[in-house]
Amino acid sequence: MTAPLHDKRPGTSGVQLPDTQQGMRRRNLSRVMHAVAAHGPLSRSAVAARIGLTRAAVSTLVDELIRSELLDELGPERPGRVGRPGSALAVSSRGPVGVGAEVGVDHLAVCAVDLRGEVRARAVQQVRNRGRSPELVLRDVAALVQRAYAEIRVAGLSPAGLAVAVPGLVARDTRSVVRAPNLGWHDIDLEPLLPSGLPLTVDNEANFGALAELWLGEDTPEDFLHVSAEIGIGAALVVEGRLLRGTRGFAGELGHVPVRPEGPRCPCGGRGCLEQYAGEEAVLRAAGLEPGEGRVGLLAERAAAGDRAVRRALGGAGAAMGIALTGAVNLLDPRAVVLGGALARLAPWLLPSLERELAGRTGGRACGVTVSGLGPDGPLLGAAHSVVQAVLDDPVGVCAAG
C-alpha cells in the first residue's frame, strides 16, 4: 500500500527547532524535504522556487539530504521544459522508515512506512487483550516490532522511531497510559516494556487516527473533528492543521460523554456513557449478537440484508453518537466531522440518525459528516506516519537520534 505524503504543513509532528544558525539550517532542510515529499519529483530549481531560497543554497541542502539517504536523484527531468533540464529529486525509498504499533482490545498490529508512504512491513496478531497484564501485551507488541525491524533491515532500511497507539488516556509529553478502561490499564509506563534505542512516542489511538486523516485523507480540511469508533469511541480535534491535545493531553474522550446520565455503568466509572450505546459491543448486544472476531463485518452484512434488529441497533447507536457530538460541535464549531475506525463500515446505517440528531440540536447549518477512507487502519497508519513526519520536520535531528 502506498499513501502519498501530501501534507503541506511543515511542523505537524511537533518537532521544535532552536532559533540559531544551526536551527535555521535544519529548518531549511525540512522545507526541502516537505516540498519534495508533497510535490515531487522536483528539480533543484523547482524546489528553490517553492521555498524561496536560491538555487545554490538549495543545491547544498539537497546534496546533504542525498548523502543522508533522505532524497534520491532520479536523473534528468522529462523533456519539453524550457531551459536546461535539471535532475529530478524524490524522497528516498532506501532511507529511514517510521514504525507504528497499535494496541487494540482484540488485536495487536505493527507496520513500517517509508518516506514515500509505502508500507514496507506489516504484522497483525488477533488476541483478546482485555484483562491481560500490560507486561504480557507489550511483550507481544515488542515481538511484532522486532519482526518488523528485521524485515525492513533485510530490505536495507533503518527504523527512525516507534510510535504506539493505545485505546486510552496518555499523559501529555510522556509515554504513560493514565487510564485505558477497555484494557483495564492504569498508570502504565510503556517505555521500559518496549524495544529501546530509538525515539518512542505513545499516544491515544484517536489522535493518531485524526493525524492519518489529516496527512492521508482525500480533501480533508484543516479543521475537523475525527471520531474513531470501535469497541471504544474516541475523538480528536484538528484545528488549523494541528492536533488540539488539551492541558493534560486528554482532549477527545467522546466515548465517555454521558448521553443518558442514569444509564448503565461504564468501565470508566461513569454512567450512560456514549460507549454503552454506540461502542461495538453495545451495538452487538442491542442486535442480539455475541461479541467476537469479525463482528463488524457480520453487522454490515446483516444490515445490508435488511435485518431489522441490526438496523434498529445501528440507528440507536447513530442517535447516541449524534447526541454526544452535539455538544462538541456546538462548543468547537469544526468544519467537518469525520467518522473513522471499524464502525465506519456501518456508516450507511449510522449516519441517518446521527445527522438527524446533529441537525436538530445544533445552531445554524448542521456540520457535515463524512466517512474516512482509511477504515480501521487509521490509527496504525497515523502512528507510523507520525515518525515519517518527524523525519520530514527535522531530517538531521531525527536520524541522528536514531
Side-chain angles (χ1 to χ4, degrees), residues 45 61 88 127 134 158 184 201 216 245 259 262 290 307 316 319 344 354 381:
S45 296
L61 297 168
V127 56
S158 59
T201 303
L216 308 174
R245 297 183 177 277
V259 294
E262 303 305 319
E290 291 294 324
D307 187 309
L354 189 160
L381 289 174

Side-chain angles (χ1 to χ4, degrees), residues 205-214 220 223-229 233-238 243 252 254 325 334 336-341 370-372 374-375 378-379:
E205 54 88 20
N207 286 344
F208 279 132
L211 290 174
E213 194 65 33
L214 175 69
T220 305
D223 300 88
F224 66 96
L225 180 65
H226 183 270
V227 182
S228 180
I233 298 177
L237 181 67
V238 175
L243 196 63
L254 185 72
L325 282 169
V337 171
V338 180
L339 181 64
T370 61
V371 180
S372 172
L374 301 176

Side-chain angles (χ1 to χ4, degrees), residues 152 182 285:
I152 60 178
N182 289 319
R285 286 195 303 269

Side-chain angles (χ1 to χ4, degrees), residues 55-112:
R55 189 185 187 284
V58 165
S59 289
T60 300
L61 297 168
V62 165
D63 289 343
E64 181 175 345
L65 292 168
I66 290 174
R67 286 195 301 271
S68 300
E69 295 191 324
L70 296 172
L71 289 182
D72 283 339
E73 204 154 24
L74 304 180
E77 291 179 297
R78 63 181 182 274
R81 299 197 178 199
V82 177
R84 187 175 66 183
S87 185
L89 303 165
V91 290
S92 176
S93 62
R94 301 173 289 106
V97 299
V99 179
E102 182 183 11
V103 177
V105 175
D106 56 7
H107 74 283
L108 303 172
V110 170
C111 77

Side-chain angles (χ1 to χ4, degrees), residues 124-317:
V124 178
Q125 179 180 342
Q126 299 296 333
V127 56
R128 297 289 291 181
N129 292 314
R130 178 176 288 161
R132 292 181 77 204
S133 73
E135 291 77 12
L136 288 177
V137 173
L138 295 171
R139 182 193 64 187
D140 289 346
V141 172
L144 292 177
V145 169
Q146 294 291 5
R147 188 192 309 176
Y149 285 177
E151 189 172 340
I152 60 178
R153 282 175 173 138
V154 166
L157 305 166
S158 59
L162 171 64
V164 183
V166 295
L169 299 177
V170 178
R172 187 168 184 165
D173 300 324
T174 76
R175 300 164 185 86
S176 295
V177 177
V178 176
R179 185 181 67 183
N182 289 319
L183 293 176
W185 290 9
H186 296 275
D187 299 316
I188 303 299
D189 183 2
L190 271 61
E191 186 169 21
L193 304 172
L194 290 169
S196 60
L198 290 171
L200 172 66
T201 303
V202 180
D203 207 344
N204 178 267
E205 54 88 20
N207 286 344
F208 279 132
L211 290 174
E213 194 65 33
L214 175 69
W215 294 327
L216 308 174
E218 293 293 330
D219 300 320
T220 305
E222 289 194 349
D223 300 88
F224 66 96
L225 180 65
H226 183 270
V227 182
S228 180
E230 298 186 55
I231 290 177
I233 298 177
L237 181 67
V238 175
V239 180
E240 296 182 353
R242 293 184 180 274
L243 196 63
L244 182 67
R245 297 183 177 277
T247 301
R248 297 173 296 167
F250 298 168
E253 279 296 281
L254 185 72
H256 299 291
V257 170
V259 294
R260 295 186 178 90
E262 303 305 319
R265 186 167 293 281
C266 179
C268 76
R271 284 188 174 276
C273 296
L274 174 61
E275 284 186 6
Q276 299 305 303
Y277 300 95
E280 180 183 315
E281 292 180 351
V283 174
L284 289 168
R285 286 195 303 269
L289 300 173
E290 291 294 324
E293 186 178 337
R295 299 284 94 177
V296 171
L298 178 61
L299 285 170
E301 291 173 7
R302 292 202 176 185
D307 187 309
R308 290 185 179 180
V310 170
R311 289 192 172 189
R312 186 164 54 248
L314 293 174

